[in-house]
Amino acid sequence: MSEAKSNLIEGATGAWEIVIGLEVHAQVTSKSKLFSGAATAFGAEPNTQVSLVDSAMPGMLPVINEECVRQAVRTGLGLKAKINRFSVFDRKNYFYADLPQGYQISQYKQPIVGEGEIEVDLPDGSTKTVGIERLHLEQDAGKSIHDQSPSQSFIDLNRSGVALMEIVSRPDIRSAAEAAAYVKKLRSILRYLGSCDGNMQEGSMRADVNVSVRRPGEEFGTRCEIKNMNSIRFMQQAIEYEARRQIEIIEDGGTIDQETRLYDPNRGETRSMRSKEEAHDYRYFPDPDLLPLEFSEAFVEEEKARLPELPDAKKARFMSEWGLSAYDAAILVEEQETAAFYEKVAEGRDPKLAANWMITELFGNLNKAGKSLAESPVDEAKLGGLIDLITDNTISGRIAKDVFAEMFESGKDAATIVEEKGLRQVTDTGAIEELIDSVMASQAEKVAEYRSGKDKLFGFFVGQVMKQSQGKANPAMVNELLKKKLAG
């Protein structure tokens, strides 16, 4: 099935296509806010990181944070986007209790970063290019708290003025899985650049998801925006629910209202929040307190020269230098720390074996234990040591899995466990022949059946010999010697 067809949803009246565009709000990694010197640390006591500028006291003027601007430029370069040498801050006017200015300082027609693109790695190992429309800088609002008192609401302005990069994609995404892959890739790039920590649980990265449906190839339908998704799993659920909701309404003869919706993960459904505002509703105009930003070509080139090796380049190198598949390489480069861990394990060893052990055993055990790679009891040296014991035939792949489980549990290195438990692989020809003779003597009838043409019994004999050796016999030698013995 083609990728396009596999993404279609079957309705009562035929197939539908989902069209998705994302607006990701990424908190800029910076010790202070976009227009003030107040701190940005997560988890501080309410209203302890608020300057007079953030609380919009009369007469206070914003002062641009140079580091936030530099981070936005670096991010634009990492997204292969055009850096606009001239950009303007605008006032976006609306009222919220946690926005004391009565407007948000943002960017509208002249953002800091223009068009770019992201190569998204899909679950089947293929890639897809998703266009970036723009990246602009803006300040975050504070937080309203309604669940502390039955009769009062509270305001925490710690987040007021924190720098955000709003990264707007083109409507190129066609399924919930593609949307998830896009957010993961964007988060990976931001973390490599060090411009956002990508921590969705702490609100450092959240997405507004625009969803519409259409008949394949027809004009775009009316979209609904699902606000503030800070979990990739919930985002996927919300997209799938919203697409089916819209299809049902249209197929029943109704029309879609352009509106902003919220996702309720407890009920697994989206619900209306408000009608969607258009840009003119916000009465944008250039902020008179801030001069336009102007960059020299030298500044942009200097930032470009300082970029690290990014995920796409690293993935291509892992495929050419280490001979990995696109799927394995994409997994290993998702986080910088993972890629560095892999390169240490693979150095001087079979790179495919190293990738397999990391992806299957190490990641599998870490997921099960709810631990990160940084918390892993098996470090690069220990995993490399285990692979060395497999490569030099000290232990078989089967025994290695038991050794790994013990390493993960105890933190001991592989060689120590192998010696303590007497797990060295049996490679002595005479010893293996003795095991084979013993099995054949106890299974005389099956030997006769095998010799009369029942070839499938070979696996049975291998299993019996390995069982007698307690898994320690060298499987390749068992296979070779067994064939000779059974042949008579």
Side-chain angles (χ1 to χ4, degrees):
M1 191 183 292
S2 70
E3 182 198 330
K5 280 188 177 175
S6 67
N7 285 335
L8 298 181
I9 296 180
E10 277 301 321
T13 60
W16 295 85
E17 185 177 44
I18 317 179
V19 177
I20 303 165
L22 282 99
E23 298 168 16
V24 171
H25 290 86
Q27 181 177 329
V28 177
T29 301
S30 166
K31 290 181 179 169
S32 54
K33 295 183 181 178
L34 184 55
F35 300 119
S36 81
T40 58
F42 175 78
E45 285 294 312
N47 294 312
T48 56
Q49 298 180 162
V50 186
S51 75
L52 295 174
V53 173
D54 308 323
S55 55
M57 289 293 117
M60 295 297 106
L61 293 174
V63 177
I64 190 76
N65 180 333
E66 185 180 341
E67 175 62 10
C68 294
V69 172
R70 193 180 69 80
Q71 293 280 38
V73 170
R74 279 168 59 77
T75 303
L77 292 168
L79 299 176
K80 301 171 195 164
K82 179 189 173 194
I83 305 302
N84 292 326
R85 303 267 299 281
F86 180 90
S87 67
V88 173
F89 283 102
D90 299 282
R91 288 188 180 180
K92 183 181 181 183
N93 295 278
Y94 61 95
F95 174 79
Y96 274 117
D98 50 19
L99 184 71
Q101 288 167 167
Y103 58 85
Q104 178 188 34
I105 302 178
S106 182
Q107 295 189 302
Y108 179 42
K109 287 186 176 172
Q110 293 167 289
I112 194 167
V113 175
E115 293 184 350
E117 62 183 34
I118 294 183
E119 283 287 318
V120 175
D121 301 299
L122 299 175
D124 65 359
S126 64
T127 59
K128 171 173 181 156
T129 302
V130 175
I132 300 294
E133 190 173 296
R134 68 176 193 276
L135 177 159
H136 63 253
L137 271 174
E138 63 185 27
Q139 58 178 180
D140 203 355
K143 181 181 173 187
S144 297
I145 303 165
H146 306 294
D147 58 357
Q148 305 292 308
S149 162
S151 58
Q152 293 175 300
S153 288
F154 301 96
I155 304 290
D156 176 9
L157 292 178
N158 277 356
R159 286 195 69 86
S160 176
V162 164
L164 301 177
M165 295 180 285
E166 182 170 332
I167 303 164
V168 182
S169 84
R170 291 202 169 280
D172 295 338
I173 299 166
R174 292 291 176 271
S175 69
E178 286 185 9
Y182 169 83
V183 172
K184 283 181 189 172
K185 187 60 175 284
L186 180 58
R187 182 173 61 185
S188 173
I189 293 171
L190 297 176
R191 283 177 168 168
Y192 267 71
L193 292 165
S195 60
C196 171
D197 65 20
N199 193 330
M200 298 183 82
Q201 293 89 345
E202 294 179 1
S204 303
M205 192 170 157
R206 53 190 195 265
D208 298 341
V209 188
N210 285 286
V211 179
S212 65
V213 296
R214 65 174 179 180
R215 296 292 188 188
E218 290 188 355
E219 294 293 313
F220 289 155
T222 302
R223 69 183 192 277
C224 292
E225 183 185 57
I226 310 167
K227 291 289 285 182
N228 281 330
M229 303 303 304
N230 63 355
S231 151
I232 291 176
R233 181 164 63 94
F234 290 155
M235 180 185 74
Q236 288 184 266
Q237 292 172 1
I239 290 170
E240 283 169 6
Y241 174 85
E242 179 60 20
R244 292 196 177 276
R245 184 189 74 86
Q246 293 184 18
I247 290 168
E248 280 182 23
I249 289 173
I250 298 169
E251 289 190 328
D252 287 346
T255 54
I256 303 301
D257 296 325
Q258 184 168 327
E259 61 182 355
T260 300
R261 300 179 70 84
L262 287 175
Y263 179 65
D264 181 343
N266 295 319
R267 299 171 68 92
E269 62 185 31
T270 63
R271 64 169 184 268
S272 183
M273 180 182 172
R274 60 173 186 257
S275 63
K276 174 67 180 172
E277 294 86 350
E278 299 289 353
H280 62 257
D281 294 328
Y282 293 117
R283 296 186 295 111
Y284 281 97
F285 66 88
D287 191 304
D289 292 336
L290 288 159
L291 291 171
L293 288 173
E294 289 188 71
F295 306 128
S296 68
E297 189 63 32
F299 167 73
V300 175
E301 288 302 315
E302 191 180 322
E303 291 303 326
K304 189 184 286 183
R306 293 171 55 194
L307 293 182
E309 183 184 34
L310 292 171
D312 287 342
K314 204 179 278 288
K315 179 184 168 190
R317 182 168 66 76
F318 276 25
M319 291 170 69
S320 63
E321 193 173 300
W322 298 110
L324 299 185
S325 66
Y327 176 80
D328 286 353
I331 291 174
L332 292 170
V333 305
E334 191 172 320
E335 301 286 347
Q336 253 174 329
E337 297 73 18
T338 308
F341 190 109
Y342 169 75
E343 293 213 80
K344 283 182 186 168
V345 176
E347 186 63 46
R349 302 187 176 96
D350 179 339
K352 179 62 182 163
L353 198 56
N356 288 347
W357 275 91
M358 270 193 74
I359 292 170
T360 307
E361 298 298 329
L362 182 59
F363 291 171
N365 278 271
L366 287 173
N367 284 341
K368 206 170 167 184
K371 291 184 175 180
S372 67
L373 189 61
E375 298 165 326
S376 173
V378 178
D379 61 17
E380 302 93 323
K382 285 174 183 163
L383 185 58
L386 178 71
I387 293 171
D388 289 341
L389 295 179
I390 301 169
T391 308
D392 68 11
N393 283 324
T394 301
I395 54 174
S396 66
R398 165 70 192 81
I399 292 289
K401 290 191 178 185
D402 294 339
V403 175
F404 181 86
E406 174 75 25
M407 287 167 72
F408 199 85
E409 183 69 31
S410 67
K412 291 179 181 175
D413 63 67
T416 303
I417 294 167
V418 168
E419 291 309 321
E420 281 179 357
K421 300 206 164 186
L423 296 174
R424 277 182 173 276
Q425 188 165 227
V426 177
T427 55
D428 177 74
T429 309
I432 293 174
E433 282 183 329
E434 276 182 29
L435 289 169
I436 292 172
D437 290 341
S438 166
V439 168
M440 288 175 67
S442 65
Q443 300 289 346
E445 283 184 19
K446 285 203 163 43
V447 171
E449 287 177 40
Y450 177 85
R451 287 177 174 164
S452 64
K454 207 167 177 181
D455 295 349
K456 286 183 181 173
L457 281 172
F458 185 75
F460 165 78
F461 290 113
V462 173
Q464 290 296 307
V465 175
M466 293 304 293
K467 190 178 172 185
Q468 283 224 5
S469 75
Q470 297 177 314
K472 290 189 279 186
N474 180 297
M477 294 177 72
V478 169
N479 272 269
E480 186 187 336
L481 295 169
L482 192 56
K483 266 184 194 160
K484 284 182 187 169
K485 290 264 184 187
L486 286 170

